[in-house]
Amino acid sequence: MAVFAERYPSDAKVVRMALGSSFVALFLGGLMGLIQALHRTGYLRIIDDSTYYTVLTLHGVALVLLFTIFFLVGFFHWAVVDSLDRTSESTRFTQLWYALMSLGAAMSSVTILGGFVGEVDVSADVLYTFYTPLEAHPLFYAGLAMFLVGTWLAGVDWFRSWYNWKQSHGGERTPLRTFMVLTTMLMWYLATFGVAAAVLVFILPWTLGLVDTVNPLLTRTLFWFFGHPVVYFWLMPVYMLWYVILPKLAGGRLFSDPLARIVFVLFLILSVPTGIHHQYLDPGIAEGFKFLATSNTMFLLLPSLLTAFTVVASLEHGARQRGGTGYVGWLRALPWRKPAFTGMALAGLMFAAAGFSGMVNAGLNLNYLVHNTLWVPGHFHLTVGTAVALSFMASTYWFLPKITGREIFSRRLGLAQVLTWFFGMVLMSNAMHRAGVGGVPRRTADPTYEGVEFTSVLGNINELRLQIALGGVILSLSLVLFFTHLLLSWFDIGTSRQATADSIPPALSGPENAPKVLENLQLWSGIAIVLVLLTYVLPIAAIVSGNGWFGSVEHPAGMVEPIWLLALDIGRQHLAVMV
Amino acid sequence: MEIHRYEKLWFGAALVLIVGFIATVVYGAAGVGISMVDDDGGTIDPNNVTDHPKFEQTGLHEAEGDDADYEASVIARRFIFQGADPLEVPENSVITFYITSPDVVHGFKIVDTNANTMVIPGQVTEMTVEFDEPGEYGILCSEFCGAGHENMAGQLTVVPEEEWGGLGGDS
Amino acid sequence: MSQASEPADPEVEMEREIEHDEFDPIGTLVLIAIYFLIISALWIFMYFIEFLGRPTPMVV
Ligand code: HEM
Ligand SMILES: [Cu+2]
Ligand SMILES: [Cu+2]
């Protein structure tokens, strides 16, 4: 069998473009990360404190929205086409969603970059959470909305393929990879409802001057309605990699296909009704709703804990087939010289650590200890910043040949890259966690305050500061290696060997063992919707009855004004100067 | 569907963990008496915060009920904490904070304590804390609120009982 | 399934083929038990020592 790029050239092209966009975002975002790590620790300050927030907005948006989601759509497109073994129904349609996403991403990014240029009035210094009444230029929100619509259409594309596939494969189980894509997209449709409502109904009309006021607690709640499940959106392609690709690289087979399906169904059902756990310390939300979010979140641990078992067991299976023995000695029989394997395995290890800090975040009253401290970025640099980002980078060493048709440049370089990321992140994230427990806040250009001494449990604050900066430098070095390798492999510079095709071995316990009801996506979506209504209708009703749908907060002084009021405003200022 | 017995074992252990976590936080709430910031503070007109009875005056005053010893009203605004810069309270006193914002979302975090909350325009944050240890505590804004956010800080001084001169008194 | 017997990845040298029923993931059980102990201990440390050791918002 030929490789994917030869079998489905037009699909491979879209996958390549999506990955290309993803890596551009990674590059931009990574650069901002380095600036932040050095700036807030005080080692190197090439920007003003006030510009720090432009940098941080770009870091957040580029990495957690653009890098992750562009990679996801590329990878999912491959997964659907390859596992159903049929090209997309319409190449034009596929290109359409990619174009919408790219245009939207460009609009938002340009608006953020405007913040670096003092002379223009286009900016979006609102961070990736854009809590109102912080206000960005309308182009920022419009771009995000367009990007989102692109992802929706991508889902439509994949559902169409599946639907048509079913017509000729009556009674067959949906292939695992397609099943994972479809459940993830259903979760995504449900989740994005919140942010789409926040942007289209409330924020955009307000920045355009169509309505005068906003309700900050409402838009914030709608954001987190989306903001928690979005983390599973980043994670689902990684779970697919861990379930489907990692065991194969280890020389084994997935332990249980039915369990993998159950895990994805659990994510569909439980991801959304948990968002309030980001609002444990918000006024205006009753304690009962917060407790409900806690217990939902804790139960959402279950699919991840089950994944840990299945994935490790699949690796152990591979190791034992390769001759591994002993209780832990089998670990040595794993293919540690393959960058794709090592990177993804280390990413999994870091995710296990992240599980712990996530449990602390989720712990209702325990959240008082860590909320909005550096502990939180410490946590998500392990989740999205490593479990996801490192898995994506590492999988590229395996994935790129599929979509370019050529082998990668060098495994050694790849191995060095994934290892430096791992070590850099161990340093940076660990120090962030500890500094956070010592009270150091996140999202600040300069966490030093007159008369305030942060005391940390383990290690003193200056050492932690050094470790954050050093970790940031090592991570950036890792990115340099990644991009060097990527360019050499992609553009035929360093390599011209033809890629050899390989296949994904069937699971030890196959899909035929899965209960049929798992295929009933309507049922699972229905349950998910009911749970969302149960957790969100009452708190939102309370918020609205308190401050109204549109609240009463106007545009705070010093914010970007609606564009057509700008001219008027400048005129007024000139008058004021003259008087 | 076949499930390996080790997997069943782990499933059970995972449930024990989950239930254990939930039990811990319930113990924190019911046993220790930790209260979450919630909707008790009510809402407020963000454009006229000083019309609200709690914010006619900022700073420390006598508590209305007997639940707390004192009340502290704080207006968090870009880039100061009005009423908490500094705020002096006596040792071993129970303080109920009322905090609101007339502009954007802020955070209110007292370093070295678990007093940590969001401040949202239109909402009043109510939070009661007891301070037993005399000392100086920094108060930080823990949510990005605009260029200048990094300078937004206040100060809480817990004064030893014998030095406390009473409300308005100098210590 | 029949495809299972051909090695999926030509580079993987396989010493033996192990099917579902003859495979006991004992190594996995060991690792995951260690994980269980670590997070339980850390949880207790974070909750009862770090957290409950400080002034905390209380019900009045
Ligand atoms: C070169 C590698 C990286 C470095 C040096 C780095 C550094 C940092 C630092 C120091 C912060 C804290 C800023 C603050 O709160 O003041 C931060 C925030 C953040 N980072 Fe990274 N990071 C890197 C990679 C990543 C990756 C790969 C991701 C995700 C895929 C990521 C996602 C985030 C997010 C979401 C935030 C929070 C932004 C916010 O608070 O609005 N970072 N990063
Ligand atoms: Cu969350
Ligand atoms: Cu602030």
Side-chain angles (χ1 to χ4, degrees):
Chain A
M1 208 168 38
V3 293
F4 184 79
E6 284 164 35
R7 283 183 294 141
Y8 300 107
S10 65
D11 296 290
K13 187 167 172 217
V14 175
V15 176
R16 282 199 301 274
M17 290 195 299
L19 257 60
S21 307
S22 165
F23 293 141
V24 169
L26 176 62
F27 181 80
L28 257 182
L31 190 63
M32 299 302 116
L34 179 63
I35 296 175
Q36 285 155 214
L38 296 176
H39 188 102
R40 61 168 289 146
T41 53
Y43 286 97
L44 176 69
R45 296 199 159 156
I46 55 170
I47 49 168
D48 294 339
D49 279 354
S50 64
T51 311
Y52 182 86
Y53 305 104
T54 309
V55 170
L56 190 56
T57 307
L58 191 56
H59 183 73
V61 171
L63 288 171
V64 298
L65 294 177
L66 307 185
F67 159 59
T68 49
I69 296 180
F70 270 120
F71 192 97
L72 173 146
V73 293
F75 183 63
F76 273 13
H77 193 69
W78 165 82
V80 170
V81 171
D82 193 58
S83 70
L84 297 181
D85 204 7
R86 62 187 289 140
T87 181
S88 64
E89 305 308 302
S90 149
T91 310
R92 294 279 293 277
F93 187 75
T94 305
Q95 286 165 347
L96 171 73
W97 58 251
Y98 172 73
L100 276 177
M101 287 178 67
S102 305
L103 191 63
M107 280 161 63
S108 298
S109 310
V110 166
T111 316
I112 299 170
L113 288 169
F116 289 116
V117 190
E119 294 77 47
V120 292
D121 242 324
V122 175
S123 68
D125 298 339
V126 291
L127 308 189
Y128 80 101
T129 44
F130 50 87
Y131 296 141
T132 61
L134 291 176
E135 192 176 357
H137 191 280
L139 207 57
F140 173 74
Y141 307 105
L144 288 184
M146 191 178 286
F147 180 78
L148 215 59
V149 171
T151 63
W152 290 346
L153 295 185
V156 170
D157 199 1
W158 303 324
F159 268 97
R160 258 174 85 191
S161 287
W162 174 65
Y163 183 81
N164 289 338
W165 173 88
K166 264 175 105 79
Q167 306 310 313
S168 51
H169 293 76
E172 274 180 48
R173 295 297 166 93
T174 303
L176 182 59
R177 279 175 286 164
T178 299
F179 183 84
M180 290 172 161
V181 169
L182 300 183
T183 41
T184 304
M185 291 314 291
L186 288 172
M187 189 268 293
W188 182 241
Y189 287 122
L190 189 59
T192 46
F193 171 79
V195 71
V199 167
L200 296 175
V201 181
F202 301 108
I203 304 179
L204 207 48
W206 170 68
T207 55
L208 289 171
L210 302 176
V211 296
D212 291 332
T213 53
V214 276
N215 179 341
L217 181 56
L218 178 61
T219 54
R220 191 179 156 81
T221 304
L222 289 172
F223 178 85
W224 285 118
F225 179 104
F226 152 83
H228 189 72
V230 75
V231 313
Y232 289 101
F233 197 54
W234 307 325
L235 217 51
M236 291 301 90
V238 175
Y239 275 42
M240 193 196 291
L241 285 166
W242 290 347
Y243 275 115
V244 181
I245 312 300
L246 199 55
K248 163 205 152 62
L249 293 176
R253 289 155 60 186
L254 172 59
F255 190 54
S256 164
D257 168 300
L259 202 79
R261 290 176 198 250
I262 291 177
V263 162
F264 272 69
V265 167
L266 282 175
F267 279 121
L268 164 58
I269 295 174
L270 282 173
S271 290
V272 186
T274 53
I276 287 180
H277 68 208
H278 293 262
Q279 298 179 281
Y280 283 152
L281 306 188
D282 279 13
I285 298 179
E287 189 159 359
F289 302 136
K290 295 179 177 175
F291 180 73
L292 192 61
T294 305
S295 61
N296 285 346
T297 307
M298 291 299 185
F299 278 98
L300 191 50
L301 280 173
L302 203 57
S304 287
L305 292 173
L306 295 179
T307 296
F309 187 95
T310 316
V311 171
V312 177
S314 310
L315 300 188
E316 183 181 352
H317 176 255
R320 297 214 186 272
Q321 290 201 137
R322 291 160 59 102
T325 52
Y327 286 125
V328 289
W330 56 272
L331 285 168
R332 271 185 313 223
L334 290 169
W336 294 109
R337 268 203 286 264
K338 282 187 197 170
F341 174 82
T342 303
M344 284 197 263
L346 292 177
L349 181 64
M350 294 290 258
F351 193 58
F356 173 70
S357 53
M359 293 161 194
V360 170
N361 297 339
L364 193 67
N365 33 45
L366 185 50
N367 188 257
Y368 275 124
L369 180 66
V370 294
H371 181 75
N372 273 357
T373 68
L374 215 45
W375 168 283
V376 177
H379 165 72
F380 58 61
H381 281 91
L382 292 180
T383 56
V384 68
T386 300
V388 176
L390 182 55
S391 291
F392 283 179
M393 289 188 279
S395 69
T396 304
Y397 298 113
W398 168 84
F399 190 45
L400 204 60
K402 307 275 169 293
I403 56 169
T404 61
R406 285 184 308 277
E407 276 308 325
I408 58 163
F409 171 62
S410 153
R411 280 191 176 180
R412 276 217 180 137
L413 191 56
L415 204 56
Q417 188 267 319
V418 297
L419 287 174
T420 39
W421 189 274
F422 177 75
F423 287 120
M425 202 53 99
V426 166
L427 262 183
M428 184 172 94
S429 156
N430 179 298
M432 281 176 154
H433 278 99
R434 284 150 62 191
V437 175
V440 178
R442 66 182 283 205
R443 291 187 153 181
T444 172
D446 185 6
T448 54
Y449 301 85
E450 213 180 305
V452 178
E453 232 174 279
F454 296 108
T455 43
S456 173
V457 249
L458 307 153
N460 84 23
I461 224 75
N462 289 326
E463 276 165 30
L464 295 179
R465 203 179 287 148
L466 178 65
Q467 288 174 26
I468 291 172
L470 203 61
V473 170
I474 297 175
L475 285 166
S476 307
L477 189 73
S478 174
L479 280 183
V480 171
L481 295 180
F482 179 72
F483 283 106
T484 309
H485 184 277
L486 187 74
L487 292 177
L488 288 173
S489 305
W490 195 311
F491 291 110
D492 220 356
I493 305 172
T495 169
S496 53
R497 276 173 298 136
Q498 286 294 304
T500 44
D502 54 4
S503 63
I504 292 166
L508 283 172
S509 166
E512 64 286 353
N513 294 320
K516 259 234 133 88
V517 62
L518 281 178
E519 292 270 320
N520 190 343
L521 296 180
Q522 270 128 330
L523 172 68
W524 306 123
S525 312
I527 294 178
I529 292 171
V530 169
L531 275 180
V532 167
L533 292 176
L534 285 178
T535 38
Y536 268 104
V537 167
L538 290 178
I540 290 189
I543 291 168
V544 171
S545 76
N547 295 115
W549 287 105
F550 292 95
S552 48
V553 179
E554 294 167 12
H555 305 266
M559 292 276 168
V560 185
E561 301 258 340
I563 15 183
W564 53 74
L565 292 183
L566 208 73
L568 210 95
D569 214 53
I570 293 170
R572 258 205 321 253
Q573 279 169 11
H574 278 268
L575 261 174
V577 171
M578 286 190 285
V579 180
Chain B
M1 196 181 138
E2 31 177 346
I3 296 181
H4 194 278
R5 63 180 193 287
Y6 293 165
E7 204 156 13
K8 287 185 189 144
L9 204 64
W10 173 239
F11 186 84
L15 282 180
V16 168
L17 261 186
I18 290 171
V19 172
F21 291 151
I22 297 178
T24 320
V25 304
V26 169
Y27 162 77
V32 185
I34 303 167
S35 149
M36 297 310 292
V37 169
D38 61 9
D39 53 354
D40 284 348
T43 57
I44 185 173
D45 175 3
N47 304 309
N48 299 292
V49 291
T50 49
D51 289 353
H52 189 284
K54 295 289 182 200
F55 298 99
E56 283 164 359
Q57 269 188 321
T58 56
L60 199 69
H61 21 258
E62 221 48 76
E64 270 171 28
D66 345 303
D67 292 336
D69 302 319
Y70 299 99
E71 289 177 2
S73 299
V74 179
I75 299 179
R77 64 166 81 228
R78 295 171 148 196
F79 298 101
I80 50 169
F81 289 110
Q82 251 173 286
D85 195 18
L87 179 72
E88 293 193 352
V89 306
E91 175 188 4
N92 286 323
S93 59
V94 177
I95 316 287
T96 298
F97 290 90
Y98 291 92
I99 318 168
T100 196
S101 160
D103 46 37
V104 299
V105 177
H106 297 278
F108 178 92
K109 176 177 168 63
I110 307 180
V111 179
D112 285 339
T113 77
N114 296 320
N116 183 6
T117 179
M118 302 306 299
V119 185
I120 300 176
Q123 299 288 331
V124 177
T125 299
E126 185 190 307
M127 177 171 77
T128 302
V129 192
E130 179 169 1
F131 295 95
D132 320 327
E133 292 282 321
E136 303 269 330
Y137 296 84
I139 301 175
L140 320 175
C141 175
S142 59
E143 184 56 85
F144 170 64
C145 54
H149 158 66
E150 66 281 352
N151 299 320
M152 184 161 168
Q155 184 85 36
L156 173 78
T157 309
V158 181
V159 181
E161 222 137 17
E162 56 280 10
E163 291 170 29
W164 176 250
L167 274 181
D170 43 13
S171 46
Chain C
M1 258 198 256
S2 59
Q3 308 129 275
S5 49
E6 55 180 289
D9 191 330
E11 295 179 39
V12 173
E13 31 358 297
M14 249 211 264
E15 298 201 355
R16 58 198 154 130
E17 172 95 28
I18 306 174
E19 283 300 323
H20 188 273
D21 294 337
E22 36 171 342
F23 173 47
D24 249 351
I26 183 70
T28 303
L29 191 67
V30 170
L31 291 184
I32 217 136
I34 296 172
Y35 181 60
F36 183 93
L37 293 178
I38 293 176
I39 51 180
S40 306
L42 280 174
W43 174 266
I44 289 168
F45 170 75
M46 285 296 285
Y47 202 95
F48 294 95
I49 298 172
E50 272 300 321
F51 176 56
L52 290 185
R54 311 174 182 211
T56 301
M58 288 294 170
V59 182
V60 284

